[in-house]
Protein backbone atom coordinates (compact mmCIF):
# COMPACT_ATOMS: atom_id res chain seq x y z
CA UNK A 1 0.00 0.00 0.00
CA UNK A 2 2.81 2.44 0.79
CA UNK A 3 4.30 1.84 -2.68
CA UNK A 4 0.98 2.62 -4.33
CA UNK A 5 0.65 5.86 -2.40
CA UNK A 6 4.16 7.07 -3.28
CA UNK A 7 4.04 6.12 -6.96
CA UNK A 8 1.96 9.16 -8.11
CA UNK A 9 4.33 11.48 -6.22
CA UNK A 10 7.36 9.89 -7.86
CA UNK A 11 5.77 10.19 -11.31
CA UNK A 12 4.93 13.86 -10.71
CA UNK A 13 8.50 14.63 -9.62
CA UNK A 14 9.88 12.80 -12.65
CA UNK A 15 7.57 14.72 -15.01
CA UNK A 16 8.62 18.03 -13.45
CA UNK A 17 12.29 17.16 -13.93
CA UNK A 18 11.73 16.24 -17.59
CA UNK A 19 9.74 19.44 -18.16
CA UNK A 20 12.44 21.62 -16.62
CA UNK A 21 15.11 19.92 -18.70
CA UNK A 22 13.32 20.89 -21.91
CA UNK A 23 12.13 24.35 -20.80
CA UNK A 24 13.38 27.27 -22.85
CA UNK A 25 16.07 29.24 -21.04
CA UNK A 26 15.16 32.73 -19.95
CA UNK A 27 16.63 35.13 -22.53
CA UNK A 28 19.29 37.37 -21.05
CA UNK A 29 18.86 41.15 -21.26
CA UNK A 30 20.59 42.81 -24.22
CA UNK A 31 23.91 44.36 -23.37
CA UNK A 32 24.63 47.99 -24.33
CA UNK A 33 25.15 48.19 -28.08
CA UNK A 34 23.33 44.95 -28.87
CA UNK A 35 20.11 46.78 -29.74
CA UNK A 36 21.33 47.99 -33.16
CA UNK A 37 19.31 46.56 -36.05
CA UNK A 38 20.09 46.70 -39.77
CA UNK A 39 17.24 48.59 -41.47
CA UNK A 40 18.73 48.21 -44.97
CA UNK A 41 19.43 44.54 -45.61
CA UNK A 42 21.89 45.12 -48.46
CA UNK A 43 19.84 42.96 -50.85
CA UNK A 44 16.60 44.76 -51.66
CA UNK A 45 14.33 47.60 -50.54
CA UNK A 46 12.37 45.59 -47.97
CA UNK A 47 11.16 47.97 -45.25
CA UNK A 48 11.45 51.06 -47.44
CA UNK A 49 8.97 53.01 -49.57
CA UNK A 50 9.90 54.91 -52.71
CA UNK A 51 8.57 58.48 -52.81
CA UNK A 52 8.66 60.21 -56.21
CA UNK A 53 10.06 59.01 -59.52
CA UNK A 54 13.80 58.96 -58.89
CA UNK A 55 15.74 55.71 -59.30
CA UNK A 56 16.80 53.54 -56.33
CA UNK A 57 18.73 50.31 -56.86
CA UNK A 58 20.67 47.86 -54.70
CA UNK A 59 24.09 47.10 -56.16
CA UNK A 60 26.64 44.35 -55.39
CA UNK A 61 28.37 44.81 -52.07
CA UNK A 62 25.20 45.94 -50.31
CA UNK A 63 25.22 49.45 -51.80
CA UNK A 64 22.01 51.45 -52.08
CA UNK A 65 22.33 53.71 -55.13
CA UNK A 66 20.01 56.67 -55.70
CA UNK A 67 20.11 58.47 -59.05
CA UNK A 68 18.04 61.51 -60.05
CA UNK A 69 16.34 60.92 -63.39
CA UNK A 70 13.87 63.82 -63.25
CA UNK A 71 14.05 67.43 -62.11
CA UNK A 72 11.93 66.73 -59.05
CA UNK A 73 12.81 65.59 -55.53
CA UNK A 74 12.99 61.91 -54.70
CA UNK A 75 13.03 60.02 -51.41
CA UNK A 76 13.33 56.57 -49.95
CA UNK A 77 11.35 56.41 -46.71
CA UNK A 78 11.24 53.78 -43.98
CA UNK A 79 7.88 52.05 -43.68
CA UNK A 80 8.22 52.26 -39.91
CA UNK A 81 8.03 55.52 -37.94
CA UNK A 82 10.55 56.56 -35.30
CA UNK A 83 10.42 59.22 -32.60
CA UNK A 84 13.80 58.85 -30.88
CA UNK A 85 16.71 56.93 -32.38
CA UNK A 86 20.38 56.67 -33.26
CA UNK A 87 21.19 56.03 -36.92
CA UNK A 88 24.55 54.89 -38.28
CA UNK A 89 25.31 54.80 -41.99
CA UNK A 90 27.89 55.46 -44.69
CA UNK A 91 27.31 57.74 -47.67
CA UNK A 92 29.21 58.70 -50.78
CA UNK A 93 28.50 61.58 -53.18
CA UNK A 94 29.07 60.52 -56.79
CA UNK A 95 27.29 63.51 -58.34
CA UNK A 96 27.00 67.24 -57.75
CA UNK A 97 23.48 67.19 -56.30
CA UNK A 98 23.06 67.19 -52.56
CA UNK A 99 21.12 64.90 -50.31
CA UNK A 100 20.00 64.56 -46.72
CA UNK A 101 18.60 62.29 -44.05
CA UNK A 102 15.10 63.42 -43.06
CA UNK A 103 13.54 62.37 -39.78
CA UNK A 104 9.96 62.63 -38.49
CA UNK A 105 9.07 62.92 -42.18
CA UNK A 106 5.66 62.71 -43.84
CA UNK A 107 4.55 63.44 -47.42
CA UNK A 108 1.50 64.66 -49.26
CA UNK A 109 -0.12 61.41 -50.48
CA UNK A 110 1.00 60.38 -53.94
CA UNK A 111 3.63 63.13 -54.23
CA UNK A 112 7.23 63.85 -53.17
CA UNK A 113 6.01 67.00 -51.40
CA UNK A 114 7.21 66.78 -47.83
CA UNK A 115 4.76 68.04 -45.23
CA UNK A 116 6.87 67.67 -42.09
CA UNK A 117 10.33 66.74 -40.97
CA UNK A 118 13.86 68.07 -40.56
CA UNK A 119 16.93 66.85 -42.41
CA UNK A 120 20.55 66.33 -41.55
CA UNK A 121 22.28 67.79 -44.61
CA UNK A 122 24.52 65.78 -46.95
CA UNK A 123 26.60 67.73 -49.47
CA UNK A 124 30.17 66.69 -50.18
CA UNK A 125 31.23 70.12 -51.39
CA UNK A 126 33.19 72.10 -48.82
CA UNK A 127 31.27 74.78 -46.91
CA UNK A 128 27.88 73.30 -47.84
CA UNK A 129 27.02 72.50 -44.21
CA UNK A 130 26.95 68.69 -44.08
CA UNK A 131 25.59 67.80 -40.66
CA UNK A 132 23.52 70.97 -40.44
CA UNK A 133 19.76 70.96 -39.94
CA UNK A 134 17.20 72.24 -42.44
CA UNK A 135 13.45 71.97 -42.93
CA UNK A 136 10.01 72.09 -41.33
CA UNK A 137 9.36 75.33 -43.22
CA UNK A 138 12.17 77.15 -41.42
CA UNK A 139 14.99 76.74 -43.96
CA UNK A 140 18.38 76.49 -42.22
CA UNK A 141 18.18 76.00 -38.48
CA UNK A 142 21.81 75.37 -37.54
CA UNK A 143 25.15 74.96 -39.36
CA UNK A 144 28.29 73.16 -38.24
CA UNK A 145 31.01 75.34 -36.76
CA UNK A 146 33.40 76.70 -39.45
CA UNK A 147 36.18 74.30 -38.47
CA UNK A 148 33.82 71.36 -39.03
CA UNK A 149 32.79 72.34 -42.56
CA UNK A 150 35.84 70.52 -43.97
CA UNK A 151 35.24 67.16 -42.28
CA UNK A 152 33.23 65.73 -45.20
CA UNK A 153 35.22 63.75 -47.79
CA UNK A 154 34.40 64.30 -51.44
CA UNK A 155 34.62 61.16 -53.58
CA UNK A 156 35.02 58.89 -50.54
CA UNK A 157 32.81 57.04 -48.12
CA UNK A 158 31.72 59.12 -45.13
CA UNK A 159 30.45 57.81 -41.79
CA UNK A 160 27.36 59.47 -40.32
CA UNK A 161 26.04 58.83 -36.80
CA UNK A 162 22.83 60.75 -36.08
CA UNK A 163 20.98 61.00 -32.78
CA UNK A 164 17.44 62.29 -32.26
CA UNK A 165 16.06 62.31 -28.72
CA UNK A 166 13.11 64.59 -28.08
CA UNK A 167 14.13 68.00 -29.41
CA UNK A 168 17.87 67.36 -29.23
CA UNK A 169 19.65 66.54 -32.50
CA UNK A 170 23.30 65.41 -32.73
CA UNK A 171 25.35 64.72 -35.87
CA UNK A 172 28.75 63.00 -35.93
CA UNK A 173 30.57 63.00 -39.26
CA UNK A 174 33.67 60.86 -39.74
CA UNK A 175 34.15 60.68 -35.99
CA UNK A 176 33.73 64.42 -35.39
CA UNK A 177 30.69 65.84 -33.62
CA UNK A 178 29.65 68.62 -35.97
CA UNK A 179 26.25 69.56 -34.51
CA UNK A 180 24.62 69.26 -31.08
CA UNK A 181 21.44 71.32 -31.16
CA UNK A 182 18.42 71.54 -28.88
CA UNK A 183 15.49 72.92 -30.86
CA UNK A 184 13.52 75.53 -28.89
CA UNK A 185 10.59 75.31 -31.30
CA UNK A 186 10.27 71.74 -32.61
CA UNK A 187 7.46 71.20 -35.12
CA UNK A 188 7.60 67.46 -35.79
CA UNK A 189 7.95 64.61 -33.32
CA UNK A 190 7.26 61.33 -35.10
CA UNK A 191 7.52 59.95 -38.63
CA UNK A 192 9.67 58.08 -41.10
CA UNK A 193 13.37 58.35 -41.87
CA UNK A 194 13.85 59.42 -45.50
CA UNK A 195 16.93 59.50 -47.72
CA UNK A 196 16.70 62.41 -50.16
CA UNK A 197 17.73 63.09 -53.73
CA UNK A 198 17.62 66.86 -54.24
CA UNK A 199 15.68 68.36 -57.12
CA UNK A 200 17.56 69.35 -60.24
CA UNK A 201 18.41 66.02 -61.82
CA UNK A 202 22.08 65.80 -60.74
CA UNK A 203 21.75 63.70 -57.61
CA UNK A 204 23.89 60.57 -57.53
CA UNK A 205 24.21 59.16 -54.01
CA UNK A 206 25.33 55.88 -52.51
CA UNK A 207 24.51 54.55 -49.05
CA UNK A 208 25.52 51.40 -47.19
CA UNK A 209 25.52 49.80 -43.73
CA UNK A 210 22.38 51.53 -42.44
CA UNK A 211 21.83 50.55 -38.81
CA UNK A 212 19.45 51.93 -36.18
CA UNK A 213 18.85 51.89 -32.42
CA UNK A 214 15.19 52.56 -31.76
CA UNK A 215 15.01 54.64 -28.56
CA UNK A 216 11.30 55.38 -28.98
CA UNK A 217 9.07 55.12 -25.91
CA UNK A 218 5.44 54.74 -27.02
Amino acid sequence: MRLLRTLPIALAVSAALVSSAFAQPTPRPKLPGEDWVQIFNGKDLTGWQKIGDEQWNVEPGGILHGVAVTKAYGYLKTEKNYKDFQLSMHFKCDGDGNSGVFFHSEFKPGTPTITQGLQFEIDCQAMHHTGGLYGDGRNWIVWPAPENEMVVRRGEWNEYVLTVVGNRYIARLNGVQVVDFTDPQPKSFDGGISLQLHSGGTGDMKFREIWLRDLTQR
Side-chain angles (χ1 to χ4, degrees):
M1 293 296 291
R2 180 176 298 174
L3 178 60
L4 293 175
R5 285 198 297 268
T6 58
L7 184 58
I9 298 175
L11 291 174
V13 171
S14 177
L17 291 173
V18 171
S19 177
S20 64
F22 286 95
Q24 292 295 323
T26 302
R28 65 171 177 80
K30 289 184 178 180
L31 297 175
E34 289 186 334
D35 50 355
W36 286 94
V37 296
Q38 197 167 8
I39 61 171
F40 166 57
N41 63 21
K43 300 175 182 179
D44 54 41
L45 300 181
T46 299
W48 296 81
Q49 177 186 6
K50 182 180 173 182
I51 307 290
D53 296 323
E54 306 312 279
Q55 178 177 291
W56 297 91
N57 294 308
V58 180
E59 299 180 346
I63 295 173
L64 174 60
H65 192 182
V67 179
V69 293
T70 77
K71 296 294 184 180
Y73 285 96
Y75 300 86
L76 198 64
K77 177 180 177 289
T78 57
E79 293 177 352
K80 184 177 178 180
N81 287 350
Y82 301 94
K83 293 174 64 178
D84 299 333
F85 61 88
Q86 284 186 309
L87 180 73
S88 175
M89 63 188 298
H90 292 81
F91 68 85
K92 184 180 180 183
C93 308
D94 280 352
D96 293 330
N98 72 4
S99 179
V101 180
F102 274 82
F103 58 94
H104 301 160
S105 62
E106 296 293 346
F107 296 84
K108 184 178 178 180
T111 77
T113 301
I114 194 159
T115 56
Q116 72 169 49
L118 293 176
Q119 70 163 317
F120 288 100
E121 180 75 5
I122 294 177
D123 192 320
C124 293
Q125 299 184 69
M127 303 304 295
H128 280 215
H129 320 311
T130 296
L133 285 154
Y134 184 99
D136 260 344
R138 294 181 285 169
N139 296 321
W140 283 106
I141 297 171
V142 62
W143 291 353
E147 63 269 22
N148 292 330
E149 289 279 7
M150 311 303 291
V151 175
V152 69
R153 301 166 184 162
R154 188 172 180 83
E156 302 179 29
W157 285 103
N158 293 266
E159 182 185 26
Y160 229 178
V161 180
L162 309 173
T163 302
V164 174
V165 176
N167 63 334
R168 185 181 180 189
Y169 318 131
I170 302 171
R172 293 183 63 85
L173 176 62
N174 296 326
V176 178
Q177 184 170 291
V178 295
V179 162
D180 184 347
F181 179 69
T182 300
D183 192 348
Q185 296 179 314
K187 290 189 174 183
S188 57
F189 302 91
D190 199 353
I193 295 170
S194 301
L195 307 178
Q196 182 202 55
L197 288 173
H198 200 278
S199 64
T202 59
D204 190 346
M205 294 294 306
K206 291 179 178 177
F207 304 90
R208 68 182 187 189
E209 299 178 37
I210 307 176
W211 291 75
L212 184 137
R213 291 181 68 215
D214 189 356
L215 307 176
T216 302
Q217 300 293 324
R218 296 189 185 275

